[in-house]
Protein backbone atom coordinates (compact mmCIF):
# COMPACT_ATOMS: atom_id res chain seq x y z
CA UNK A 1 0.00 0.00 0.00
CA UNK A 2 1.41 3.39 -0.94
CA UNK A 3 2.02 6.12 1.63
CA UNK A 4 -0.80 8.17 0.06
CA UNK A 5 -3.32 5.37 0.46
CA UNK A 6 -2.20 4.66 4.02
CA UNK A 7 -2.51 8.34 4.94
CA UNK A 8 -5.96 8.55 3.35
CA UNK A 9 -7.15 5.50 5.27
CA UNK A 10 -5.85 6.88 8.54
CA UNK A 11 -7.50 10.21 7.79
CA UNK A 12 -10.85 8.52 7.43
CA UNK A 13 -10.72 7.50 11.09
CA UNK A 14 -9.87 10.99 12.34
CA UNK A 15 -12.92 13.11 11.46
CA UNK A 16 -11.99 15.66 14.09
CA UNK A 17 -9.26 16.90 11.77
CA UNK A 18 -12.04 18.68 9.88
CA UNK A 19 -12.84 20.86 12.88
CA UNK A 20 -9.98 23.26 12.28
CA UNK A 21 -11.17 23.97 8.76
CA UNK A 22 -14.81 24.55 9.58
CA UNK A 23 -16.28 27.85 10.73
CA UNK A 24 -19.91 28.37 11.65
CA UNK A 25 -22.93 26.04 11.46
CA UNK A 26 -23.39 23.70 8.52
CA UNK A 27 -26.52 23.45 6.40
CA UNK A 28 -28.23 20.10 6.09
CA UNK A 29 -27.43 18.62 2.68
CA UNK A 30 -30.39 16.26 2.54
CA UNK A 31 -28.38 13.74 0.52
CA UNK A 32 -29.94 10.35 -0.20
CA UNK A 33 -27.68 7.52 -1.34
CA UNK A 34 -30.72 5.60 -2.59
CA UNK A 35 -31.38 8.40 -5.11
CA UNK A 36 -29.39 7.01 -8.04
CA UNK A 37 -30.32 9.90 -10.32
CA UNK A 38 -28.77 12.35 -7.85
CA UNK A 39 -25.57 10.29 -7.69
CA UNK A 40 -25.41 10.14 -11.48
CA UNK A 41 -25.87 13.90 -11.78
CA UNK A 42 -23.26 14.42 -9.07
CA UNK A 43 -20.78 12.26 -10.95
CA UNK A 44 -21.27 14.32 -14.10
CA UNK A 45 -20.96 17.62 -12.25
CA UNK A 46 -17.85 16.49 -10.42
CA UNK A 47 -16.10 15.32 -13.56
CA UNK A 48 -16.97 18.53 -15.40
CA UNK A 49 -16.16 21.06 -12.69
CA UNK A 50 -13.91 19.42 -10.09
CA UNK A 51 -11.91 16.53 -11.55
CA UNK A 52 -9.55 18.82 -13.47
CA UNK A 53 -7.85 19.64 -10.17
CA UNK A 54 -9.11 17.18 -7.55
CA UNK A 55 -8.33 13.47 -7.86
CA UNK A 56 -10.39 10.59 -6.51
CA UNK A 57 -7.40 8.27 -6.50
CA UNK A 58 -9.01 5.62 -4.27
CA UNK A 59 -11.90 5.15 -6.73
CA UNK A 60 -12.10 3.69 -10.24
CA UNK A 61 -14.14 4.73 -13.26
CA UNK A 62 -15.36 1.14 -13.59
CA UNK A 63 -16.71 1.22 -10.02
CA UNK A 64 -18.78 4.29 -10.86
CA UNK A 65 -20.26 2.46 -13.84
CA UNK A 66 -21.16 -0.60 -11.76
CA UNK A 67 -22.49 1.16 -8.67
CA UNK A 68 -24.42 3.94 -10.39
CA UNK A 69 -26.01 1.82 -13.10
CA UNK A 70 -24.10 3.38 -15.99
CA UNK A 71 -22.73 1.50 -18.98
CA UNK A 72 -18.94 1.50 -19.44
CA UNK A 73 -19.47 3.19 -22.81
CA UNK A 74 -21.44 6.02 -21.21
CA UNK A 75 -18.76 6.54 -18.56
CA UNK A 76 -16.01 6.55 -21.19
CA UNK A 77 -17.85 9.09 -23.33
CA UNK A 78 -18.98 11.48 -20.60
CA UNK A 79 -17.01 11.01 -17.38
CA UNK A 80 -13.46 10.23 -18.47
CA UNK A 81 -10.65 12.13 -20.19
CA UNK A 82 -9.79 10.65 -23.58
CA UNK A 83 -6.46 9.17 -22.44
CA UNK A 84 -7.88 7.37 -19.39
CA UNK A 85 -8.90 3.70 -19.23
CA UNK A 86 -12.12 2.42 -17.68
CA UNK A 87 -10.28 0.30 -15.10
CA UNK A 88 -7.99 3.09 -13.91
CA UNK A 89 -8.20 5.11 -10.74
CA UNK A 90 -9.57 8.64 -11.07
CA UNK A 91 -6.41 10.71 -11.01
CA UNK A 92 -6.16 14.47 -11.27
CA UNK A 93 -5.26 16.42 -14.36
CA UNK A 94 -3.00 18.82 -12.46
CA UNK A 95 0.33 17.98 -10.84
CA UNK A 96 1.29 19.07 -7.33
CA UNK A 97 3.87 21.58 -8.55
CA UNK A 98 1.46 23.43 -10.82
CA UNK A 99 -1.22 23.33 -8.14
CA UNK A 100 1.08 24.92 -5.59
CA UNK A 101 2.22 27.57 -8.07
CA UNK A 102 -1.29 28.51 -9.19
CA UNK A 103 -3.24 28.23 -5.94
CA UNK A 104 -0.57 28.40 -3.25
CA UNK A 105 -1.31 24.79 -2.31
CA UNK A 106 -1.80 21.63 -4.32
CA UNK A 107 -5.52 20.75 -4.63
CA UNK A 108 -6.24 17.84 -2.26
CA UNK A 109 -7.48 14.40 -3.20
CA UNK A 110 -11.19 14.26 -2.37
CA UNK A 111 -11.65 10.49 -2.17
CA UNK A 112 -12.39 10.62 1.56
CA UNK A 113 -13.40 14.25 2.05
CA UNK A 114 -16.92 13.27 3.11
CA UNK A 115 -15.53 11.08 5.91
CA UNK A 116 -12.57 13.25 6.89
CA UNK A 117 -14.62 16.38 7.57
CA UNK A 118 -16.94 16.67 10.54
CA UNK A 119 -20.43 16.85 9.11
CA UNK A 120 -19.59 14.74 6.06
CA UNK A 121 -21.86 15.65 3.14
CA UNK A 122 -23.22 18.63 5.10
CA UNK A 123 -19.69 20.08 5.15
CA UNK A 124 -19.29 19.63 1.38
CA UNK A 125 -22.76 21.05 0.71
CA UNK A 126 -22.19 24.11 2.91
CA UNK A 127 -18.75 24.65 1.43
CA UNK A 128 -20.10 24.65 -2.13
CA UNK A 129 -22.72 27.23 -1.10
CA UNK A 130 -20.35 29.34 1.00
CA UNK A 131 -18.21 31.14 -1.60
CA UNK A 132 -18.20 34.93 -1.70
CA UNK A 133 -16.21 37.70 -3.33
CA UNK A 134 -13.21 38.84 -1.28
CA UNK A 135 -10.84 41.23 -3.03
CA UNK A 136 -8.25 40.66 -0.29
CA UNK A 137 -7.76 37.03 -1.32
CA UNK A 138 -5.24 36.14 -4.09
CA UNK A 139 -7.92 34.62 -6.32
CA UNK A 140 -10.67 37.00 -5.23
CA UNK A 141 -12.77 34.39 -3.39
CA UNK A 142 -13.30 33.33 0.20
CA UNK A 143 -15.56 30.83 1.91
CA UNK A 144 -17.70 30.94 5.05
CA UNK A 145 -17.06 27.28 5.88
CA UNK A 146 -13.32 27.35 5.16
CA UNK A 147 -12.08 30.91 5.71
CA UNK A 148 -8.94 31.63 3.74
CA UNK A 149 -9.61 28.88 1.19
CA UNK A 150 -7.26 29.17 -1.79
CA UNK A 151 -9.71 27.52 -4.18
CA UNK A 152 -11.55 29.65 -6.77
CA UNK A 153 -15.31 29.30 -7.01
CA UNK A 154 -15.53 27.07 -10.07
CA UNK A 155 -19.33 26.97 -9.90
CA UNK A 156 -19.84 30.73 -9.84
CA UNK A 157 -21.43 30.81 -13.28
CA UNK A 158 -24.12 28.46 -11.97
CA UNK A 159 -24.63 30.05 -8.56
CA UNK A 160 -23.81 33.66 -9.31
CA UNK A 161 -21.74 36.03 -7.18
CA UNK A 162 -22.31 36.49 -3.46
CA UNK A 163 -21.06 39.24 -1.19
CA UNK A 164 -20.73 39.00 2.59
CA UNK A 165 -22.99 40.75 5.06
CA UNK A 166 -20.95 41.73 8.11
CA UNK A 167 -21.90 42.24 11.73
CA UNK A 168 -19.87 43.37 14.71
CA UNK A 169 -18.62 40.43 16.72
CA UNK A 170 -18.11 40.18 20.47
CA UNK A 171 -14.38 40.64 19.90
CA UNK A 172 -15.02 44.03 18.33
CA UNK A 173 -14.16 42.86 14.80
CA UNK A 174 -16.60 42.45 11.92
CA UNK A 175 -17.69 38.89 11.12
CA UNK A 176 -19.53 37.43 8.14
CA UNK A 177 -23.14 37.08 9.28
CA UNK A 178 -24.54 35.95 5.95
CA UNK A 179 -24.27 36.16 2.18
CA UNK A 180 -26.33 38.05 -0.38
CA UNK A 181 -26.57 37.29 -4.06
CA UNK A 182 -25.51 40.38 -5.99
CA UNK A 183 -25.20 38.82 -9.44
CA UNK A 184 -27.49 35.90 -10.37
CA UNK A 185 -26.00 32.87 -12.05
CA UNK A 186 -27.44 30.60 -14.71
CA UNK A 187 -29.42 28.72 -12.04
CA UNK A 188 -31.87 30.02 -9.49
CA UNK A 189 -30.96 29.37 -5.81
CA UNK A 190 -33.12 26.25 -5.56
CA UNK A 191 -31.56 24.69 -8.65
CA UNK A 192 -28.07 25.52 -7.42
CA UNK A 193 -28.88 23.92 -4.07
CA UNK A 194 -29.65 20.74 -6.00
CA UNK A 195 -26.29 20.96 -7.79
CA UNK A 196 -24.50 21.26 -4.44
CA UNK A 197 -26.59 18.39 -3.05
CA UNK A 198 -25.81 16.12 -6.00
CA UNK A 199 -22.05 16.72 -5.75
CA UNK A 200 -22.21 16.19 -1.98
CA UNK A 201 -24.07 12.90 -2.45
CA UNK A 202 -21.55 11.72 -5.04
CA UNK A 203 -18.61 12.46 -2.73
CA UNK A 204 -20.45 10.76 0.14
CA UNK A 205 -20.77 7.66 -2.05
CA UNK A 206 -17.11 7.84 -3.18
CA UNK A 207 -15.93 7.99 0.43
CA UNK A 208 -17.73 4.73 1.24
CA UNK A 209 -19.06 2.87 -1.82
CA UNK A 210 -20.10 -0.10 0.32
CA UNK A 211 -22.72 2.11 1.96
CA UNK A 212 -24.97 1.66 -1.10
CA UNK A 213 -25.18 -2.10 -0.56
CA UNK A 214 -25.05 -1.90 3.23
CA UNK A 215 -28.14 0.32 3.40
CA UNK A 216 -30.12 -1.92 1.07
CA UNK A 217 -29.07 -5.08 2.93
CA UNK A 218 -29.74 -3.41 6.28
CA UNK A 219 -33.50 -3.40 5.66
CA UNK A 220 -33.51 -7.18 5.17
CA UNK A 221 -31.33 -7.68 8.24
CA UNK A 222 -33.79 -5.73 10.39
CA UNK A 223 -36.71 -7.72 8.96
CA UNK A 224 -34.88 -10.99 9.64
CA UNK A 225 -34.14 -9.97 13.23
CA UNK A 226 -37.77 -8.98 13.76
CA UNK A 227 -38.94 -12.34 12.36
CA UNK A 228 -36.38 -14.24 14.45
CA UNK A 229 -37.47 -12.36 17.59
CA UNK A 230 -41.09 -13.29 16.90
CA UNK A 231 -40.17 -16.97 16.47
CA UNK A 232 -38.06 -16.88 19.63
CA UNK A 233 -40.99 -15.39 21.53
CA UNK A 234 -43.33 -18.16 20.33
CA UNK A 235 -40.77 -20.78 21.39
CA UNK A 236 -40.49 -19.13 24.82
CA UNK A 237 -44.26 -19.17 25.27
CA UNK A 238 -44.43 -22.84 24.25
CA UNK A 239 -41.53 -23.81 26.52
CA UNK A 240 -42.93 -22.12 29.62
CA UNK A 241 -46.37 -23.61 29.00
CA UNK A 242 -44.85 -27.07 29.53
CA UNK A 243 -42.91 -25.90 32.60
CA UNK A 244 -46.06 -24.64 34.33
Amino acid sequence: MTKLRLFALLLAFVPALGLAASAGPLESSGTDLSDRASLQRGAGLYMNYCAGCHALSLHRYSRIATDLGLSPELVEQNLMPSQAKIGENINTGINAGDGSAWFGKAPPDLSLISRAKLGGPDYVYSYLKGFYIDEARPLGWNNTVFPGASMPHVLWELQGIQRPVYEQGEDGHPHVAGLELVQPGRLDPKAYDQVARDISAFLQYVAEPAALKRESVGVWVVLFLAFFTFIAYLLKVEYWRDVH
Side-chain angles (χ1 to χ4, degrees):
M1 182 179 292
T2 65
K3 292 182 178 179
L4 175 61
R5 286 173 180 267
L6 179 59
F7 174 76
L9 288 174
L10 290 174
L11 187 62
F13 294 98
V14 193
L17 290 178
L19 282 170
S22 178
L26 303 178
E27 293 188 54
S28 175
S29 61
T31 56
D32 179 5
L33 291 181
S34 67
D35 187 346
R36 178 173 282 185
S38 176
L39 295 176
Q40 291 173 347
R41 292 193 301 268
L45 288 162
Y46 186 91
M47 294 306 170
N48 278 289
Y49 289 97
C50 310
C53 293
H54 295 283
L56 299 174
S57 63
L58 302 183
H59 209 70
R60 297 180 185 274
Y61 295 106
S62 55
R63 184 67 186 265
I64 290 178
T66 301
D67 290 345
L68 304 191
L70 302 171
S71 68
E73 294 76 20
L74 192 62
V75 171
E76 290 175 345
Q77 293 171 10
N78 297 280
L79 302 181
M80 293 170 50
S82 57
Q83 72 275 12
K85 305 297 183 183
I86 188 69
E88 293 179 350
N89 293 80
I90 304 172
N91 291 309
T92 181
I94 183 174
N95 62 56
D98 287 340
S100 297
W102 296 341
F103 306 117
K105 183 179 180 181
D109 187 299
L110 297 184
S111 299
L112 297 175
I113 187 68
S114 190
R115 295 181 64 184
K117 295 295 185 182
L118 191 68
D122 293 347
Y123 176 94
V124 177
Y125 178 76
S126 301
Y127 179 79
L128 293 174
K129 292 185 61 179
F131 280 96
Y132 63 90
I133 285 290
D134 184 352
E135 291 81 1
R137 297 295 302 159
L139 297 177
W141 295 97
N142 211 329
N143 192 280
T144 56
V145 175
F146 193 169
S150 57
M151 174 182 163
H153 186 19
V154 297
L155 300 173
W156 75 269
E157 289 185 315
L158 301 180
Q159 184 187 27
I161 297 176
Q162 299 184 123
R163 286 195 177 276
V165 177
Y166 292 98
E167 68 177 9
Q168 200 76 5
E170 294 181 359
D171 57 1
H173 298 288
H175 294 272
V176 177
L179 301 175
E180 61 176 352
L181 189 66
V182 295
Q183 179 179 319
R186 298 210 309 263
L187 302 178
D188 60 52
K190 184 177 180 180
Y192 181 77
D193 286 355
Q194 186 62 55
V195 165
R197 182 174 298 111
D198 292 340
I199 296 175
S200 301
F202 175 68
L203 288 175
Q204 181 183 5
Y205 147 71
V206 168
E208 192 178 4
L212 292 179
K213 183 174 291 186
R214 186 180 68 244
E215 291 188 5
S216 63
V217 171
V219 175
W220 295 105
V221 171
V222 171
L223 291 175
F224 169 78
L225 291 175
F227 176 75
F228 178 80
T229 301
F230 177 69
I231 296 298
Y233 171 76
L234 293 180
L235 287 173
K236 173 184 176 298
V237 171
E238 185 65 25
Y239 175 79
W240 281 104
R241 178 183 298 137
D242 295 337
V243 170
H244 291 295

